[in-house]
Amino acid sequence: MSKSVLELTPVQAVACCSPLAKEPLSAEGAERIAPLLKALADPVRLRLLSLVASHADGEACVCDLNDAFDLSQPTISHHLKVLHEVGLLDRSKRGVWVYYRIRGEALADVGALLGGVAR
């Protein structure tokens, strides 16, 4: 019988953790959550998250976000990919464009981890 290891995304790891002020975070938990907080710590990614969240219908295309930055479209796409990979954004492709949407539950989980958001 083989043992399978459950791999959690950073957002899933945050969702299963108690608030930091309630009990100490395990070393394993900190390792799993750090990529999420690292993604949020980048000023460009933090702004992108805010721009997507505040965009009409809570959804934005890369083409809608380029003008807010003095960065190339591939660089913006890279930052959006990082946010998607840690679980903060969902994405869907429509024709040649990719549209991004905030995962509200992921942000609520981050807030709960830090102890500032009640669910």
Side-chain angles (χ1 to χ4, degrees), residues 1-5:
M1 184 165 148
S2 68
K3 292 183 182 181
S4 62
V5 176

Side-chain angles (χ1 to χ4, degrees), residues 54-116:
S54 63
H55 204 268
D57 299 324
E59 183 177 70
C61 174
V62 175
C63 60
D64 298 325
L65 303 169
N66 283 336
D67 292 340
F69 299 92
D70 190 23
L71 299 169
S72 68
Q73 185 273 322
T75 300
I76 299 295
S77 291
H78 166 76
H79 285 295
L80 290 166
K81 178 183 172 190
V82 170
L83 291 169
H84 171 73
E85 287 176 345
V86 298
L88 291 168
L89 294 176
D90 281 330
R91 66 182 178 194
S92 61
K93 188 166 182 172
R94 298 179 203 155
V96 297
W97 297 109
V98 178
Y99 287 79
Y100 291 88
R101 177 175 291 282
I102 292 288
R103 292 192 60 235
E105 68 278 7
L107 290 181
D109 290 340
V110 171
L113 172 74
L114 299 175

